[in-house]
Amino acid sequence: ALALSGPASPTTGDKEAFAHAESWLVIVDVSESMNHGDIAPTRLGATQRLLQPLLAAAGARPLGLIIFSGDAFLAHPPTFDRQSFTDFAQALDSSLIELNGSRPDRALALAQTVIGESELHHARIWMLTDGGGLDSLSQQIAQQLGQRGHRLDILLIAREGSQDPEPVDADTALKVAEAGDGKLWQVDALGRPLKNPFSANELFAEQQALQLELGGWQLWSQWIILLLLPLALLLICRGES
């Protein structure tokens, strides 16, 4: 069974590692509407499949998991433990949270708390949802995350135009993602992204943007030093001759 909790404080060693890494937070919608079958086998089943390439793309980054329906819980605090994350992901079910509904705003607010308490320098947040409950409050929180140097991407796990069990609002999902400095990614009927959010090109572009944000000179200075090292050695040898 999943042990759901509030934010957990990382160890001192983890905090030091987080300060130098881009961390990923995954937010998964486990509301009742995620059992709908417009995406095969269900929206939640397709979400679980998508977590596999997401996990692979995370590489050595710290990875955390938040789930939500009518409330939000931290299922897995940001760590480097991939097996534990996989175990939690495989156990996802709409019965995990007793309170029915869809409150992505609570999940985003919890993400803010986790980022602060875990001292994550830069977090990339992946929200996998059918879009239910996304509203102006979600957009406001997403904007706050973006202003603090984080990024929110939304994977919309629902057929655009679907009216069952409730209308899928891709326009609002797009507004929330853009407010969080991220993108909206959509899937086909088999749950496959129409464009790959985890491609090397996408991740490389994000990493370049992060380097510029954090200060390109500091991040590239070590490579500049290596390039100048042969010249320095040549000057030293000439001085000794």
Side-chain angles (χ1 to χ4, degrees), residues 155-178:
L155 280 77
L156 189 63
I157 317 298
R159 293 289 298 275
E160 186 173 3
S162 174
Q163 301 296 313
D164 186 21
E166 60 184 43
V168 174
D169 188 354
D171 290 339
T172 297
L174 175 61
K175 290 177 182 178
V176 175
E178 289 181 341

Side-chain angles (χ1 to χ4, degrees), residues 85-108:
F85 183 93
T86 300
D87 292 341
F88 277 102
Q90 291 174 346
L92 291 175
D93 187 87
S94 59
S95 65
L96 287 171
I97 300 177
E98 294 183 0
L99 187 60
N100 292 327
S102 187
R103 294 294 303 271
D105 58 302
R106 291 189 178 182
L108 291 170

Side-chain angles (χ1 to χ4, degrees), residues 4-193:
L4 304 180
S5 66
S9 298
T11 64
T12 300
D14 281 343
K15 286 184 178 181
E16 291 175 355
F18 294 167
H20 300 284
E22 178 193 40
S23 303
W24 282 14
L25 273 177
V26 182
I27 299 176
V28 174
D29 185 350
V30 294
S31 61
E32 281 292 333
S33 61
M34 291 294 286
N35 291 319
H36 190 53
D38 61 335
I39 304 295
T42 64
R43 294 173 180 177
L44 186 56
T47 295
Q48 288 177 296
R49 283 204 309 258
L50 280 171
L51 290 177
Q52 298 173 12
L54 187 154
L55 180 63
R61 299 173 178 89
L63 195 61
L65 176 65
I66 291 171
I67 63 173
F68 76 92
S69 57
D71 204 350
F73 293 91
L74 179 64
H76 187 274
T79 70
F80 298 97
D81 186 349
R82 292 296 185 262
Q83 186 57 54
S84 176
F85 183 93
T86 300
D87 292 341
F88 277 102
Q90 291 174 346
L92 291 175
D93 187 87
S94 59
S95 65
L96 287 171
I97 300 177
E98 294 183 0
L99 187 60
N100 292 327
S102 187
R103 294 294 303 271
D105 58 302
R106 291 189 178 182
L108 291 170
L110 179 56
Q112 280 186 316
T113 302
V114 172
I115 289 169
E117 293 194 357
S118 300
E119 299 182 13
L120 304 182
H121 189 76
H122 175 80
R124 186 164 187 181
I125 304 160
W126 300 91
M127 176 179 279
L128 290 79
T129 177
D130 61 11
L134 288 171
D135 55 13
S136 58
L137 181 54
S138 303
Q139 186 173 342
Q140 179 182 341
I141 300 172
Q143 186 174 31
Q144 292 171 357
L145 287 163
Q147 290 171 343
R148 294 170 184 169
H150 310 298
R151 171 172 170 163
L152 170 66
D153 286 85
I154 296 178
L155 280 77
L156 189 63
I157 317 298
R159 293 289 298 275
E160 186 173 3
S162 174
Q163 301 296 313
D164 186 21
E166 60 184 43
V168 174
D169 188 354
D171 290 339
T172 297
L174 175 61
K175 290 177 182 178
V176 175
E178 289 181 341
D181 284 340
K183 295 181 179 180
L184 175 67
W185 307 89
Q186 295 183 264
V187 299
D188 64 15
L190 297 178
R192 299 171 301 194

